[in-house]
């Protein structure tokens, strides 16, 4: 798919699984279990999906998935399967190397979004994309570096500390325009300072759903994750963003949906829902 200056390619970077109850908050299992398969430990299968944007001047990644720094125990808890999906290998299939990446837009610093930023070399984390600038919002940067008891297990500094040490990190202060044809929708309900890239050429528009719309099932307003720090704020953000996306006939891209890569929206008497799936 091409939007404006960019060729878009979706890349799965890992499969993993999280507790279904946590993924759907107050929605009862009788409803959410119709949307997705559940294993014997109540986990639902998910993916981490990166979006690659290629223009003449830039090779941009949006988020980098779980990465490969996991212990056997954590791999088991989260059912993480990463070996077939290592990002530099996937890039090779598209004629790119890790060195070609110019920019990594980090929606937020939770481990399943930025684990692929770094890898271990000689016992220490090193950047996976040595020539890239990594972009993050200041509110999320501050929170990640002093997380609450609720957040602590999700913010792992091994995914970003070395980038800051090497001067590879650019911290944004609510800027809305990043590059030509890429603006940032900044939302706070899931975690402070989550930035969701919106790629648009005025004709076609795609929003990277991040953890505001992790799966297609999260489009209806009350379907909000228990992971969200401020669920009422997520609800308000969804209510504000969805009609604007519908009006533009925009596409939402799903970072965590194992089936739907992206979809369009439709209006029904029950509100705005996901309609036809789009393959990217
Ligand atoms: Zn998150």
């Amino acid at each position: 798919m091409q939007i404006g200056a960019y060729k878009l390619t979706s890349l799965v970077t890992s499969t993993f699984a999280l507790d279904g109850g946590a993924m759907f908050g107050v929605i009862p299992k009788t409803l959410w279990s119709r949307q997705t398969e559940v294993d014997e430990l109540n986990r639902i299968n998910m993916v981490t999906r990166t979006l690659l944007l290629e223009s003449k001047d830039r090779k941009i990644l949006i988020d980098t998935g779980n990465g490969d720094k996991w212990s056997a125990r954590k791999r088991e808890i989260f059912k993480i399967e990463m070996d077939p999906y290592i990002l530099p290998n996937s890039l090779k299939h598209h004629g790119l190397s890790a060195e070609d990446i110019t920019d990594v837009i980090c929606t937020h610093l939770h481990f399943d979004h930025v684990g692929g930023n770094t890898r271990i070399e000689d016992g220490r984390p090193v950047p996976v994309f040595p020539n890239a600038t990594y972009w993050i919002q200041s509110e999320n940067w501050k929170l990640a570096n002093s997380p609450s008891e609720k957040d602590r297990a999700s913010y792992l500094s091994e995914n970003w500390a070395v980038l800051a040490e090497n001067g590879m990190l650019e911290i944004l202060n609510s800027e809305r325009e990043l590059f030509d044809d890429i603006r940032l929708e900044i939302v706070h309900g899931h975690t402070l300072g989550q930035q969701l890239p919106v790629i648009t050429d005025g004709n076609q528009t795609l929003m990277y759903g991040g953890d505001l719309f992790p799966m297609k099932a999260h489009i209806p307003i009350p379907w909000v994750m228990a992971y969200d720090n401020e669920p009422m704020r997520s609800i308000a953000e969804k209510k504000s963003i969805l009609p604007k996306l519908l009006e533009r006939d925009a596409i939402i891209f799903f970072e965590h949906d194992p089936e739907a890569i992206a979809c369009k929206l439709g209006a029904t008497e029950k509100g705005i829902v996901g309609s036809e799936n789009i393959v990217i």
Side-chain angles (χ1 to χ4, degrees), residues 107-113 154-155 190-191 194 210-212 225 227-228 255-256:
T107 58
H108 61 299
L109 294 172
H110 281 162
F111 66 71
D112 53 325
H113 298 257
S154 301
Y155 282 120
H190 174 63
T191 188
Q194 179 180 196
D211 271 349
L212 184 64
M225 294 191 284
Y227 294 112
D228 288 13
E255 187 162 10
H256 291 315

Side-chain angles (χ1 to χ4, degrees), residues 102-134:
T102 58
D103 303 272
V104 179
I105 303 173
C106 305
T107 58
H108 61 299
L109 294 172
H110 281 162
F111 66 71
D112 53 325
H113 298 257
V114 293
N117 283 359
T118 62
R119 62 185 165 82
I120 299 294
E121 195 176 280
D122 299 328
R124 296 196 54 213
V126 295
V128 169
F129 307 102
N131 301 317
T133 300
Y134 291 69

Side-chain angles (χ1 to χ4, degrees), residues 116-218:
N117 283 359
T118 62
R119 62 185 165 82
I120 299 294
E121 195 176 280
D122 299 328
R124 296 196 54 213
V126 295
V128 169
F129 307 102
N131 301 317
T133 300
Y134 291 69
W135 302 86
I136 186 74
Q137 287 291 322
S138 67
E139 283 168 297
N140 195 250
W141 171 250
K142 282 182 212 146
L143 180 70
N145 285 287
S146 52
S148 69
E149 289 80 356
K150 183 175 187 286
D151 276 323
R152 193 157 295 152
S154 301
Y155 282 120
L156 310 177
S157 65
E158 62 181 15
N159 294 325
W160 66 76
V162 68
L163 307 175
E165 280 163 30
N166 291 5
M168 298 168 77
L169 207 63
E170 279 293 334
I171 296 178
L172 300 166
N173 287 300
S174 302
E175 286 97 331
R176 298 277 167 171
E177 296 292 333
L178 192 55
F179 304 122
D180 286 350
D181 298 343
I182 302 181
R183 55 180 295 276
L184 300 170
E185 186 76 49
I186 301 167
V187 289
H188 305 284
H190 174 63
T191 188
L192 286 178
Q194 179 180 196
Q195 52 183 359
L196 303 177
V198 178
I199 301 108
T200 185
D201 57 8
N203 182 27
Q204 260 195 309
T205 299
L206 177 144
M207 187 175 95
Y208 190 87
D211 271 349
L212 184 64
F213 299 106
M215 298 167 71
K216 191 174 179 181
H218 291 94

Side-chain angles (χ1 to χ4, degrees), residues 65-81:
N66 277 309
D68 62 358
K69 300 188 291 300
W70 294 96
S71 67
R73 190 180 130 68
K74 285 277 174 62
R75 284 178 75 152
E76 201 185 310
I77 292 173
F78 297 117
K79 215 175 168 181
I80 297 174
E81 189 64 62

